[in-house]
Amino acid sequence: MANEWWKTAVIYHIYPRSFQDSNGDGIGDLQGIISKLDYVKKLGVDAIWLSPVYKSPNVDYGYDVSDHRAISEDYGTMTDMEELIFEANQRGLKVILDIVYNHTSDQHRWFLDAKKSKTSRFRDFYHWRPGTPDGPPSDWMSTYNTSAWEFDEKTGEYYLHMNSRRQVDLNWENPNVIHEVKEMMIFWIRKGVSGFRIDQLGHINKKKSLPSYEQYADKEADPHFEIIKDEGAHPYVHHLNEAVFSKYSMMTVGESGSATPEEALLYTDPARREVNMVFSFDHLQIEEGDSESDVKVNVVQLKKVMEKWQKTLEEKGWNTLFWCNHDEPRIVTRFGDEGEHCAASAKMLAATLHMMKGTPYIYQGEEIGMTNADFEGIEEFRDSKSITEFHQRHYEQNEEKESVLADLNKRSRDQARTPMQWDDGKNAGFTEGEPWIKVNNNYLSVNVQQNLDDPESVFWFYHKLIHIRKTEPVVTEGTFDLMAPDHPSVFAYTRTGGGEVLLVISHFGKKPVSFAVDREQISGLSGHLLLSNYTVEDDASALEKPFELRPYETRIYLFKETEKER
Ligand code: GLC
Ligand code: CA
């Protein structure tokens, strides 16, 4: 039987640039990560996933790789990497690397050669096309809101880039590209890694006929995703599975921003042999809550979306569970409360997610309740995408600076990339030098030290959630059923299996609210409290009649057939 360790695992996502600096240059590095492995281990997770640490000109901080088999000098050396893998494994932590296979940096030797002439042996590693009378070969747009085609003077043709113009899309119809990617993966497998997070998993197959966006204009679909649709990627992913993933028992998780639950099932149904799970962003694209209300997100919609994912992948596929990563705003800022109820809301959000079916991912700092940082001016931003957006909206379209900045502060990628807050010392203990990106001002009250010292902290709450996952099989295997789907602020659900029912009740608002449990889902069983973020009686008697939930309150109960009422 396949080793499915990842089904009971929790994975910790490290953004190396902002985790821990070891040499005072203001940039997090591999030795910094090594020095914090004991901390990561303490949380109880099974593996770390590192955002890219390969050689890169850092236009997109490592997601623009110029040498897949070398470590960026910002982060250290290959020896440091080998030491990191060894030290992690020593502690029982697996290492998962980020594979960027949709594109390379424009500084990659393949592209530098490809640019030299139309006869370069690397020319076909990329997508080159002549222009049209209107200019670029098609109306395709990049994620930077510019044409996806860049003109190259020397050879008089355009190359394709679905991200920044310095991230050039690879041509997967060229078998040599596939060969190189496989060899690169095997290179890292030999170094001892246990899995891959695959960047832009489903974007590798571009529609050759270059259909115009207009073709999709009156459909609901996002044309950007239509032209790179996942359907064409499946054969490639399957091939990689046969040739690499299953051969070497690699855990695989692919980023697929556009995947529907049905699409995700195609990727993750074990019989199809593609990847183990995918990251989709459906649950992070929910409408905001009513502006009058104390609830920041449309909870009814959120429940509907998460239920759909839980249900669609319940039998055959497998889900990822995540609130945060290096591209998304911090969840406490988004769905919780940065003020008085910061810790309570961080715990509530964690409980809601971690008791679902799938593999949870914790993004560095989430486990201590880190929030979005507030930046005052564009000079504080480091993310090229945000800076480009500022230029486009402010300088080209004359939008007020303040309004663009307000938007960026809310959802730019930098707000979640600020340094890890270790303690209340200089630069939050991240660096002795000048940090590459500003430290969030709230580090005096939100930091690792303070969390470790307080048994009631967010950190120790995450620790308990992980412990529950490890000790109660119903968390891994149970079926998911929503309770009170129409309740506007309470997200409640059960997980059922093996004669047990796990019940999670979470309140997404500041104002206390009354809630009544649907007794049918737990009938004939007796239960007790497993975890809560407020003081609550240990038995489940409180649930017999309607009761009040306090600001961002969450409770997890376990019901059993055999258990006598305590
Ligand atoms: C993924 C990464 C993101 C990066 C993009 C292009 O979405 O998570 O950070 O910019 O791919 O590689
Ligand atoms: Ca450093």
Side-chain angles (χ1 to χ4, degrees):
M1 215 192 93
N3 175 9
E4 296 184 325
W5 62 269
W6 41 271
K7 283 202 171 172
T8 52
V10 178
I11 296 172
Y12 190 79
H13 174 195
I14 293 180
Y15 191 68
R17 207 171 182 81
S18 295
F19 196 55
Q20 175 68 66
D21 177 23
S22 73
N23 62 355
D25 66 356
I27 299 175
D29 46 48
L30 298 176
Q31 284 300 333
I33 299 175
I34 294 171
S35 73
K36 295 296 184 186
L37 286 174
D38 287 334
Y39 165 74
V40 174
K41 180 69 190 170
K42 194 175 293 190
L43 188 56
V45 299
D46 303 85
I48 52 174
W49 146 33
L50 303 183
S51 274
V53 289
Y54 317 106
K55 199 154 186 258
S56 159
N58 281 330
V59 170
D60 192 19
Y61 297 113
Y63 286 95
D64 48 327
V65 182
S66 57
D67 185 348
H68 296 99
R69 301 181 191 208
I71 298 296
S72 157
E73 47 279 26
D74 281 351
Y75 304 130
T77 62
M78 189 59 83
T79 312
D80 293 327
M81 188 64 186
E82 285 160 359
E83 188 183 330
L84 168 57
I85 296 171
F86 176 81
E87 289 295 334
N89 290 345
Q90 282 284 312
R91 291 165 175 79
L93 291 170
K94 295 183 162 64
V95 177
I96 292 157
L97 290 191
D98 216 311
I99 298 288
V100 188
Y101 76 171
N102 174 68
H103 47 270
T104 70
S105 158
D106 65 346
Q107 300 304 304
H108 195 290
R109 68 181 171 86
W110 301 337
F111 189 68
L112 293 176
D113 200 286
K115 249 171 57 160
K116 281 190 192 147
S117 83
K118 288 186 183 172
T119 58
S120 155
R121 71 187 193 77
F122 292 104
R123 187 77 174 176
D124 276 350
F125 268 49
Y126 301 93
H127 299 272
W128 293 94
R129 292 287 179 114
T132 60
D134 297 335
S138 75
D139 59 0
W140 292 5
M141 297 290 281
S142 76
T143 54
Y144 280 62
N145 225 353
T146 62
S147 168
W149 297 99
E150 182 75 9
F151 187 64
D152 173 58
E153 293 273 341
K154 176 118 191 266
T155 54
E157 286 189 329
Y158 289 79
Y159 68 80
L160 179 69
H161 61 91
M162 298 308 296
N163 296 284
S164 85
R165 68 186 170 79
R166 302 204 44 199
Q167 292 164 294
V168 193
D169 283 52
L170 283 164
N171 172 17
W172 276 72
E173 282 179 32
N174 179 348
N176 293 328
V177 166
I178 303 177
H179 175 77
E180 288 291 343
V181 169
K182 286 193 292 198
E183 290 295 309
M184 174 265 280
M185 288 174 165
I186 291 168
F187 172 86
W188 287 109
I189 292 170
R190 298 224 159 99
K191 297 249 175 244
V193 309
S194 304
F196 299 126
R197 177 266 186 188
I198 302 164
D199 191 63
Q200 303 194 329
L201 173 76
H203 295 184
I204 48 182
N205 183 60
K206 310 295 165 1
K207 293 210 164 130
K208 264 198 133 163
S209 60
L210 309 187
S212 162
Y213 277 165
E214 274 169 31
Q215 201 170 309
Y216 305 101
D218 49 357
K219 298 191 189 139
E220 243 179 61
D222 177 345
H224 179 80
F225 288 126
E226 283 302 311
I227 54 171
I228 48 179
K229 238 188 167 3
D230 296 82
E231 59 196 21
H234 291 293
Y236 295 115
V237 178
H238 176 66
H239 172 71
L240 291 175
N241 181 303
E242 303 258 283
V244 184
F245 309 153
S246 56
K247 204 160 155 190
Y248 300 93
S249 302
M250 286 293 108
M251 182 222 95
T252 46
V253 52
E255 180 199 36
S256 181
S258 54
T260 57
E262 292 74 21
E263 189 74 53
L265 185 58
L266 296 179
Y267 277 127
T268 65
D269 174 357
R272 293 174 49 91
R273 305 189 62 187
E274 296 191 15
V275 289
N276 299 139
M277 50 196 141
V278 297
F279 291 122
S280 127
F281 298 88
D282 269 8
H283 64 303
L284 296 176
Q285 273 147 13
I286 305 292
E287 281 170 22
E288 291 185 6
D290 198 323
S291 59
E292 305 285 286
S293 144
D294 61 315
V295 184
K296 281 200 178 148
V297 56
N298 182 330
V299 175
V300 173
Q301 217 183 74
L302 179 68
K303 287 188 279 194
K304 217 179 250 160
V305 167
M306 296 193 95
E307 178 191 38
K308 177 95 205 283
W309 279 86
Q310 286 286 302
K311 282 300 188 197
T312 310
L313 302 187
E314 193 149 66
E315 267 159 34
K316 285 199 217 132
W318 194 252
N319 266 297
T320 57
L321 305 171
F322 74 102
W323 285 134
C324 304
N325 64 28
H326 63 298
D327 295 329
E328 295 290 330
R330 293 275 181 189
I331 201 65
V332 173
T333 304
R334 204 166 183 172
F335 293 171
D337 177 50
E338 288 188 346
E340 190 190 345
H341 307 294
C342 188
S345 69
K347 292 174 189 171
M348 180 282 286
L349 290 161
T352 312
L353 188 75
H354 277 242
M355 294 296 102
M356 290 190 193
K357 185 168 185 174
T359 301
Y361 289 75
I362 301 170
Y363 174 59
Q364 65 181 50
E366 183 186 331
E367 78 284 12
I368 57 167
M370 275 177 68
T371 62
N372 268 11
D374 245 326
F375 287 180
E376 271 148 40
I378 193 63
E379 27 351 294
E380 292 187 331
F381 285 82
R382 296 291 175 267
D383 168 29
S384 57
K385 212 186 219 171
S386 309
I387 296 169
T388 305
E389 181 176 336
F390 182 84
H391 277 259
Q392 289 168 339
R393 288 173 56 184
H394 179 56
Y395 293 115
E396 291 165 25
Q397 293 148 25
N398 296 320
E399 193 177 332
E400 291 292 337
K401 210 193 230 159
E402 290 67 30
S403 100
V404 187
L405 283 174
D407 273 358
L408 290 179
N409 268 313
K410 211 162 154 189
R411 52 165 183 73
S412 127
R413 309 197 293 182
D414 275 343
Q415 270 46 47
R417 293 180 179 179
T418 57
M420 183 70 180
Q421 294 163 206
W422 295 104
D423 55 39
D424 60 6
K426 181 183 170 193
N427 298 322
F430 165 69
T431 178
E432 284 297 320
E434 197 47 46
W436 75 280
I437 190 170
K438 144 177 174 169
V439 176
N440 190 331
N441 294 333
N442 69 1
Y443 73 96
L444 291 174
S445 55
V446 176
N447 62 60
V448 167
Q449 197 51 54
Q450 161 261 328
N451 266 260
L452 290 179
D453 291 345
D454 173 6
E456 299 300 322
S457 68
V458 179
F459 179 92
W460 291 115
F461 192 88
Y462 268 87
H463 183 267
K464 286 174 194 144
L465 287 171
I466 296 170
H467 181 73
I468 295 175
R469 172 169 293 271
K470 301 283 177 198
T471 48
E472 304 294 346
V474 69
V475 179
T476 307
E477 289 150 21
T479 52
F480 174 95
D481 290 289
L482 214 46
M483 186 181 277
D486 297 325
H487 195 291
S489 76
V490 176
F491 194 142
Y493 62 89
T494 53
R495 301 287 313 283
T496 307
E500 296 186 348
V501 178
L502 186 90
L503 168 63
V504 181
I505 306 169
S506 290
H507 172 39
F508 275 63
K510 242 182 231 180
K511 292 187 201 132
V513 72
S514 165
F515 187 71
V517 164
D518 176 355
R519 304 287 306 175
E520 222 164 86
Q521 276 171 253
I522 48 170
S523 75
L525 305 174
S526 63
H528 67 276
L529 184 78
L530 282 185
L531 188 61
S532 63
N533 60 350
Y534 284 86
T535 310
V536 186
E537 310 84 271
D538 280 344
D539 63 17
S541 56
L543 307 184
E544 278 154 23
K545 42 189 189 312
F547 59 99
E548 194 181 74
L549 287 164
R550 289 156 278 189
Y552 302 98
E553 180 161 355
T554 187
R555 303 177 183 192
I556 304 169
Y557 290 94
L558 185 65
F559 290 83
K560 293 188 186 192
E561 269 168 6
T562 51
E563 196 172 322
K564 296 272 165 294
E565 204 73 61
R566 295 183 173 202

